[in-house]
Amino acid sequence: MQLQQLAYFVAVAEVRHFTQAAELLRVAQPSLSKQIRALETELGASLFSRARGNITLTPAGEALLPLAKRILADVDTARLEVQELAGLRRGRVRLGATPSLCAGLLGDVLRRFHDNYPGVQLLVEEGGSRDLVRELTRGSLDLALVILPLHGDPPLETAPILREHLVVASPAGGSGMPRRPYLQIEDLRNRPLVMFRSGYDLREATIGACRAAGFEPRFAVEGGEMDAVLRFVEAGLGIAVVPSMVLAGRPGLRGTPLVLTDQADDAAPRRAAPGSGLLRTIALAHRKDVDLTHAARAFQATLETFLVEAALAGSLPAGVEALVNDNPH
């Protein structure tokens, strides 16, 4: 089995067309087809169904695709690492982060890292925590800022770095919400919720907390990303459970701390001390079986230093607490 064969296989699997895959890879289509047939012969199974010109993956192809992507990603990482060790001032960091962090403090961290390491390429993927865990496990990311606890026991190493408050976002001038310093999960009963799409930890956290309180949440609209959810709340479609930091600069929204009346299941964030609100923990994660590149380690150090300095200066976003002092390297 050759890396070139795996790269050809992945290209065809992604575009579902042999000629288009060959054009993307800048190789002759007969050569590409020949290499894939050789791969199928070695594996003893067909990878594509070619009935009537419609290219689909066979069960063997479906099983091979995530493994092939991971192998190719690991080889790419190894190549970059060797180049760094050879003294080349370049590299790459593939970072995943939740929308709340992308909209909050991450921009300042990326700017500091770029100023210190201008030759290192930064690739940022924004997504829900569970999506990022999946991409990290597949080898598509080097590092990811994810929500604890992780689900399904993925092979990842995590280091808690931040703790943030969750609040109920509602229109600033809206009526119908209790005017109290905090809300309980029970206050969400029978109220229309604006809900994130699947893959967001906040979606599972909110649903889990409601079910633990004995009721099924009612959705006014669902399937949005962070910015869309906030805009829908501003428009008066419903309320939403969000991190407090995302409300900065949104005068049209009011954030009320959320607390649990009873301990929810594992899908919900943990309860803090009475009156301090509902919290969730953010961790920096990477795969256990792959050593971080020099560039990735430099980004981790930059992030932790930034958080320590911001905490000492009191400049962290509202509702955010740094935890990096608890995890020295």
Side-chain angles (χ1 to χ4, degrees):
M1 186 182 304
Q2 301 175 10
L3 293 175
Q4 184 184 62
Q5 293 172 338
L6 292 178
Y8 289 177
F9 162 71
V10 169
V12 175
E14 289 181 339
V15 301
R16 302 301 170 99
H17 198 283
F18 277 78
T19 301
Q20 291 179 9
E23 291 174 351
L24 288 172
L25 295 171
R26 298 182 179 179
V27 298
Q29 192 270 336
S31 176
L32 180 142
S33 297
K34 180 180 178 180
Q35 289 297 324
I36 289 181
R37 284 196 298 271
L39 179 61
E40 290 176 321
T41 299
E42 182 172 350
L43 294 174
S46 296
L47 300 175
F48 296 102
S49 174
R50 303 168 174 85
R52 298 180 181 178
N54 184 27
I55 305 300
T56 59
L57 286 169
T58 64
E62 293 281 2
L64 178 61
L65 183 58
L67 297 174
K69 286 184 175 181
R70 178 170 171 175
I71 290 170
L72 293 172
D74 287 347
V75 169
D76 198 19
T77 298
R79 182 182 297 112
L80 288 171
E81 182 74 356
V82 170
Q83 290 174 345
E84 291 179 38
L85 290 173
L88 299 178
R89 293 186 178 182
R90 60 181 180 180
R92 178 195 64 190
V93 177
R94 300 169 301 171
L95 175 69
T98 61
S100 61
L101 291 170
C102 287
L105 56 82
L106 189 57
D108 292 333
V109 177
L110 294 176
R111 177 57 186 267
R112 176 179 292 193
F113 181 80
H114 179 71
D115 289 345
N116 292 335
Y117 306 95
V120 176
Q121 182 184 19
L122 285 168
L123 302 174
V124 178
E125 178 171 333
E126 181 179 0
S129 180
R130 298 190 182 198
D131 294 336
L132 297 177
V133 167
R134 182 172 60 253
E135 293 304 309
L136 192 59
T137 303
R138 289 176 177 174
S140 300
L141 298 172
D142 302 308
L143 295 165
L145 292 160
V146 299
I147 309 302
L148 297 180
L150 302 182
H151 297 265
D153 193 27
L156 303 178
E157 182 175 328
T158 60
I161 60 167
L162 287 174
R163 185 177 293 132
E164 61 180 345
H165 288 255
L166 298 182
V167 299
V168 176
S170 60
S175 60
M177 291 297 295
R179 292 285 178 172
R180 300 200 303 265
Y182 66 88
L183 296 174
Q184 297 177 342
I185 289 296
E186 181 63 28
D187 292 315
L188 305 185
R189 185 189 293 267
N190 297 324
R191 297 186 185 276
L193 298 180
V194 179
M195 184 52 64
F196 298 95
R197 64 168 175 81
S198 298
Y200 271 66
D201 181 81
L202 276 171
R203 176 189 179 94
E204 304 306 323
T206 304
I207 294 174
C210 291
R211 288 174 177 171
F215 67 94
E216 197 69 22
R218 179 164 68 91
F219 300 154
V221 60
E222 61 177 317
E225 304 283 351
M226 178 64 73
D227 187 63
V229 165
L230 296 176
R231 290 182 182 274
F232 293 158
V233 174
E234 286 177 326
L237 288 170
I239 59 177
V241 178
V242 300
S244 59
M245 72 168 73
V246 302
L247 299 186
R250 288 186 178 265
L253 293 175
R254 176 167 65 101
T256 307
L258 181 64
V259 298
L260 291 175
T261 53
D262 296 298
Q263 184 63 45
D265 60 21
D266 289 340
R270 70 176 183 84
R271 181 175 53 183
S276 62
L278 195 64
L279 309 175
R280 71 176 187 175
T281 300
I282 298 171
L284 186 64
H286 64 87
R287 278 171 46 188
K288 291 180 179 178
D289 60 338
V290 177
D291 290 335
L292 289 177
T293 64
H294 290 309
R297 285 195 293 270
F299 180 84
Q300 181 178 17
T302 300
L303 172 63
E304 294 180 350
T305 300
F306 175 89
L307 292 177
V308 169
E309 292 177 357
L312 292 174
S315 59
L316 285 173
V320 177
E321 173 190 356
L323 301 178
V324 289
N325 285 335
D326 298 335
N327 300 279
H329 288 278

